[in-house]
């Protein structure tokens, strides 16, 4: 029997105006934004009217992405589409956690606001950046990164895409080495070296912040970026979420495990279609959709319900 996974977008997919038409089309999406605005005033205004530059500031990006993602997922379930499993990329994992019911949406939003602040502060403390390396296998990217001062593979996205983070002073040499090896290094629109040791202070801050929350078993199978496998005992959630900011995202492993479990339909909820593109490279035989607007919601509902 066919299974559906909702996958929640990662940082870098944000864009001005995101979520606005969803709110106009879906009462459930509107309710999510109202909740976020009550905790962090003007979240919706920032999503709908903020500039590209404002949305790229990590302390803004993460809560804004969360709002759009949970709104999109809520709009789908409001229309009768329910997932069998959930996975989120980086900040998207917090959105998936909220949607799963493992943490109340309002608590998860407070957590993601704090996470954004901590990761912004860690980013400001060092001159770092991130690049997506394509056309080279992960093992070769690991070997190249090891040749440079503080450059780390941090996102294992697909067989031919691995994202690395590191010191800007090492990046030019690293990109040249990638080119010489037959690959291509593409700079990413993010503010720091996420999921690397440079996020150590953010990881420590998350340990303290997570002491304020209580988790319950999720309503859906929920995947961890750190392990690439479903979450286990509730007691492990704080540790996994704190480790997540300093650990590589095992996206390819997550997608392969979801497919092995019977998932053949992936719906990306949140801005853009980055994850659907990666999933298609991991396995072109599965169906992929994305929902981040009224139009894409309508198109996805038509395909999934009647396609």
């Amino acid at each position: 029997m066919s299974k559906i996974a909702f996958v929640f977008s990662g940082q870098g997919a944000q864009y001005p105006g995101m979520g606005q038409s969803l709110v106009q089309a879906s009462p459930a999406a509107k309710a999510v934004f109202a909740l976020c605005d009550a905790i962090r005033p003007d979240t919706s205004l920032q999503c709908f009217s903020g500039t590209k530059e404002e949305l790229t500031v990590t302390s803004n990006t993460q809560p804004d992405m969360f709002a759009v993602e949970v709104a999109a997922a809520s709009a789908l379930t409001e229309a009768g589409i329910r997932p069998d499993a959930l996975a989120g990329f980086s900040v998207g994992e917090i959105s998936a956690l909220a949607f799963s019911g493992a943490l109340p949406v309002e608590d998860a939003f407070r957590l993601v606001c704090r996470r954004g602040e901590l990761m912004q502060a860690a980013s400001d403390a060092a001159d770092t950046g991130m690049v997506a390396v394509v056309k080279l296998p992960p093992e070769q990217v690991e070997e190249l990164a090891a040749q440079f001062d503080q450059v780390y593979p941090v996102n294992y996205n697909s067989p031919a895409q691995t994202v690395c983070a590191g010191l800007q002073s090492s990046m030019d040499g690293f990109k040249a080495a990638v080119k010489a090896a037959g690959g291509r290094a593409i700079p990413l629109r993010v503010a720091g070296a996420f999921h690397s040791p440079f996020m150590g202070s953010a990881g420590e801050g998350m340990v303290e912040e997570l002491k304020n929350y209580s988790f319950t078993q999720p309503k859906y199978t929920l995947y961890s970026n750190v392990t690439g496998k479903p979450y286990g005992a509730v007691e492990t959630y704080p540790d996994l979420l704190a480790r997540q900011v300093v650990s590589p995202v095992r996206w390819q492993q997550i997608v392969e495990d979801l497919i092995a479990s019977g998932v053949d339909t992936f719906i990306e909820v949140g801005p853009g279609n980055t994850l659907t593109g990666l999933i298609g490279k991991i396995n072109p035989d599965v169906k992929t959709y994305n929902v981040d607007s009224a139009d894409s919601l309508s198109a996805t509902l038509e395909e999934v319900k009647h396609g």
Side-chain angles (χ1 to χ4, degrees):
M1 184 176 175
S2 175
K3 288 185 178 181
I4 295 173
F6 286 2
V7 291
F8 294 72
S9 310
Q11 196 165 332
Q14 67 276 359
Y15 61 85
M18 62 184 186
Q20 186 165 15
S21 65
L22 272 177
V23 167
Q24 296 165 347
S26 164
K30 185 176 182 179
V32 171
F33 271 95
L35 183 151
C36 294
D37 281 339
I39 296 168
R40 179 180 179 266
D42 296 332
T43 295
S44 58
L45 181 64
Q46 197 168 69
C47 289
F48 305 160
S49 304
T51 64
K52 179 180 176 181
E53 290 71 26
E54 286 175 313
L55 293 172
T56 304
V57 176
T58 298
S59 55
N60 293 335
T61 312
Q62 295 196 14
D64 291 346
M65 293 283 288
F66 177 100
V68 179
E69 290 167 5
V70 178
S74 300
L76 278 166
T77 52
E78 176 184 50
I81 305 299
R82 297 191 178 276
D84 298 285
L86 309 172
F89 194 105
S90 191
V91 66
E93 186 174 345
I94 312 295
S95 306
L97 188 88
F99 185 75
S100 78
L103 194 64
V105 174
E106 54 268 32
D107 284 352
F109 187 65
R110 291 186 180 95
L111 176 61
V112 86
C113 288
R114 182 60 179 147
R115 183 182 186 270
E117 292 169 356
L118 290 165
M119 293 177 73
Q120 179 71 54
S123 298
D124 291 342
D127 187 15
T128 57
M130 298 177 73
V131 296
V133 179
V134 297
K135 299 183 180 179
L136 296 178
E139 299 79 12
Q140 189 172 6
V141 176
E142 290 171 346
E143 292 172 3
L144 290 172
Q147 299 171 20
F148 293 87
D149 182 35
Q150 298 186 75
V151 175
Y152 309 96
V154 293
N155 303 157
Y156 291 87
N157 288 347
S158 75
Q161 185 184 114
T162 305
V163 172
C164 291
L167 288 173
Q168 286 289 10
S169 58
S170 296
M171 280 300 175
D172 285 346
F174 176 65
K175 288 187 285 187
V178 167
K179 184 177 180 180
R184 184 178 170 214
I186 306 163
L188 299 184
R189 295 181 298 159
V190 294
F194 302 141
H195 302 286
S196 78
F198 287 102
M199 291 291 114
S201 63
E204 293 168 4
M206 285 289 284
V207 169
E208 293 304 311
E209 179 67 15
L210 284 157
K211 293 176 181 177
N212 300 319
Y213 304 99
S214 297
F215 296 87
T216 58
Q217 283 292 344
K219 293 180 286 187
Y220 312 102
T221 301
L222 175 66
Y223 276 73
S224 163
N225 284 189
V226 173
T227 65
K229 297 288 184 180
Y231 274 80
V234 169
E235 293 77 18
T236 67
Y237 287 26
D239 177 61
L240 288 172
L241 291 168
R243 287 168 56 199
Q244 192 238 44
V245 300
V246 296
S247 302
V249 175
R250 306 282 176 185
W251 188 249
Q252 181 180 343
Q253 184 178 338
I254 288 170
V255 172
E256 289 174 344
D257 200 80
L258 281 164
I259 294 170
S261 76
V263 170
D264 62 2
T265 301
F266 290 82
I267 304 177
E268 180 171 3
V269 287
N273 57 3
T274 300
L275 298 184
T276 58
L278 294 176
I279 292 164
K281 289 182 172 64
I282 294 167
N283 187 324
D285 296 327
V286 298
K287 297 176 182 176
T288 58
Y289 307 95
N290 70 292
V291 173
D292 65 352
S293 65
D295 287 346
S296 58
L297 172 64
S298 177
T300 297
L301 290 174
E302 179 68 23
E303 287 289 333
V304 175
K305 286 186 172 182
H306 307 297

